[in-house]
Amino acid sequence: MKKKVFSGVQPSGNLHIGNYLGAIRNWVEVQGQYENVFCVVNAHAITVPQEPAVLHAKTREVAAIYMACGIDPEESVVFVQSHVPAHFELTWMLNGITPMGWLNRMTQFKEKAGEERESVSTGLFDYPVLMASDILLYDADLVPVGSDQTQHIELTRDIAQRFNYLFGDTFKLPQALVRETGARIMALDEPTKKMSKSSESPMGAVDLLDTPDAIKRKIMRAVTDPLRGIAFDPERHGLFNLLTIYQLLSGSSRDQIESHFEGKGYAELKRELVDLVVESLRPIQERYAQIMAEPQYLEDVLARGAERASVISEAKLRQAKEHMGLL
Ligand code: ATP
Ligand code: LTN
């Protein structure tokens, strides 16, 4: 029996190379080894304000990007979270057994809510319980994500364990699958912060659909430091980040990269990185354009994905309801 994988990205903005290198590329790499379910988590996106028409369009865009990056919808289940009501139902059930204190400890909530703790939505606070439902409905063994999500997966295990203890064996305990390199790509303009979809500054992230000109502009202006020499030094945040992106896209080793840039400066590194990023994104952008040119095909993929996801999740939901005394 193959192990099961579940993961997702929010359609809350433009996908960037952090989402690709930290998550989607790793899904593609292990696709053949596991049974996979990949979700566009639009119910997570509505925990902050979204324009309905934009959300609808972005949801399709994210699904098309999954496929453009190499997710094969024949092999993997690809679907939209809100098309499968079991996610909402299980969230409410798990809310009943999740202590507020557990959610209070979530660093992503603390960062996102910041000073606005009183005015952000209840959904933003409850977000990790929805994420736990996503994962537990599919009996996922592995959840490939960037390192910002590991705390949510620990919480998922805690919730599953508590449910199993209270109501009998129901859920499998999942594990995060986080790569050592690329698990946290930093913002180009502020390399002590994570590259993020929802950042206000457009210069922080290289988006997967950026034009070569935009890619060049962002990388050439990336913040570095006044020191000399090109080396993988984690203390030199900006440089380390650029080199990490270079390493992941080139497939070269750190030693090879350091000797390649010996005696060269930032300008040379940035110029080469621009070319590498442009060439790496080109095939993704071409496939993306082909997929988006056939909107009916995409709708069919998502309808079929929702059917397949419903079959799996409804069975698990039914079992959980039964154990809780809800049937
Ligand atoms: P937002 O900033 O709006 O919260 P995001 O850019 O963090 O969004 P998500 O949809 O929250 O994107 O994340 C999707 C996946 O991409 C997750 O697995 C997450 O860990 C990963 N990811 C997000 N940002 C990065 C990053 N900077 N480096 C590596 N992985 C990332
Ligand atoms: N919270 C995740 C997105 C997400 C997810 C999931 C990831 C929602 N449900 C289930 C893995 C498995 C994020 O990246 N912000």
Side-chain angles (χ1 to χ4, degrees):
M1 271 265 285
K2 281 187 181 172
K3 287 200 170 178
K4 299 194 175 75
V5 160
F6 185 98
S7 200
V9 175
Q10 304 182 73
S12 51
N14 296 326
L15 267 60
H16 49 74
I17 54 173
N19 299 130
Y20 179 62
L21 297 173
I24 303 174
R25 197 172 90 137
N26 303 328
W27 310 352
V28 174
E29 267 177 30
V30 299
Q31 187 171 216
Q33 266 167 275
Y34 303 115
E35 244 175 65
N36 312 283
V37 180
F38 298 119
C39 183
V40 182
V41 289
N42 58 348
H44 279 97
I46 59 168
T47 57
V48 297
Q50 303 289 343
E51 189 61 48
V54 176
L55 180 65
H56 185 272
K58 285 278 169 205
T59 302
R60 272 77 194 157
E61 194 179 299
V62 172
I65 286 179
Y66 287 180
M67 286 150 61
C69 290
I71 298 300
D72 173 1
E74 297 299 319
E75 196 175 336
S76 302
V77 176
V78 176
F79 77 106
V80 175
Q81 191 181 26
S82 64
H83 295 175
V84 177
H87 294 249
F88 297 110
E89 293 184 62
L90 183 62
T91 300
W92 190 253
M93 292 157 60
L94 298 182
N95 277 340
I97 64 152
T98 305
M100 299 264 285
W102 290 5
L103 297 180
N104 263 327
R105 284 199 282 276
M106 295 295 111
T107 54
Q108 181 178 295
F109 175 74
K110 287 189 229 175
E111 276 161 24
K112 293 215 167 181
E115 304 283 294
E116 316 294 319
R117 252 187 122 96
E118 291 296 308
S119 55
V120 294
S121 73
T122 308
L124 193 68
F125 185 67
D126 199 31
Y127 177 116
V129 181
L130 176 60
M131 179 161 164
S133 303
D134 296 340
I135 296 167
L136 298 177
L137 280 170
Y138 298 88
D139 277 336
D141 299 279
L142 297 168
V143 186
V145 285
S147 60
D148 61 320
Q149 295 303 313
T150 50
Q151 194 186 31
H152 289 158
I153 295 160
E154 290 298 314
L155 178 82
T156 301
R157 292 170 64 87
D158 290 342
I159 294 174
Q161 226 159 357
R162 190 177 181 116
F163 190 102
N164 291 347
Y165 171 75
L166 291 169
F167 305 112
D169 205 21
T170 312
F171 295 119
K172 196 185 266 181
L173 306 192
Q175 259 180 350
L177 191 65
V178 181
R179 286 289 163 88
E180 214 169 295
T181 305
R184 190 171 173 85
I185 300 293
M186 309 309 278
L188 297 177
D189 58 347
E190 220 183 329
T192 49
K193 289 194 176 154
K194 147 181 126 85
M195 187 178 282
S196 152
K197 271 192 244 112
S198 51
S199 155
E200 264 146 46
S201 134
M203 295 301 282
V206 171
D207 295 336
L208 295 179
L209 301 178
D210 269 348
T211 61
D213 269 354
I215 295 170
K216 184 171 177 189
R217 204 166 49 240
K218 292 174 182 178
I219 292 178
M220 294 311 287
R221 287 206 205 146
V223 169
T224 48
D225 57 50
L227 300 174
R228 293 172 65 88
I230 304 287
F232 279 88
D233 176 354
E235 294 306 312
R236 294 167 71 185
H237 303 284
L239 175 62
F240 188 80
N241 192 41
L242 296 179
L243 285 172
T244 299
I245 298 169
Y246 191 98
Q247 182 190 351
L248 288 164
L249 292 178
S250 67
S252 308
S253 71
R254 290 187 175 184
D255 284 347
Q256 284 169 333
I257 294 168
E258 285 178 351
S259 42
H260 176 74
F261 286 108
E262 206 174 325
K264 297 180 185 159
Y266 289 123
E268 187 64 34
L269 166 64
K270 286 178 172 180
R271 270 197 296 274
E272 284 199 35
L273 185 60
V274 169
D275 290 342
L276 183 59
V277 172
V278 168
E279 288 315 313
S280 306
L281 296 187
R282 189 190 305 281
I284 295 175
Q285 295 183 352
E286 284 171 2
R287 282 194 296 270
Y288 175 80
Q290 287 166 2
I291 295 163
M292 291 307 267
E294 279 186 85
Q296 192 51 50
Y297 165 71
L298 185 59
E299 291 307 320
D300 291 347
V301 164
L302 294 177
R304 172 90 189 100
E307 270 172 38
R308 292 166 72 190
S310 294
V311 171
I312 305 169
S313 58
E314 280 299 328
K316 182 56 74 175
L317 179 70
R318 198 184 155 78
Q319 199 189 352
K321 282 184 175 168
E322 205 174 343
H323 291 180
M324 251 190 155
L326 292 175
L327 282 189

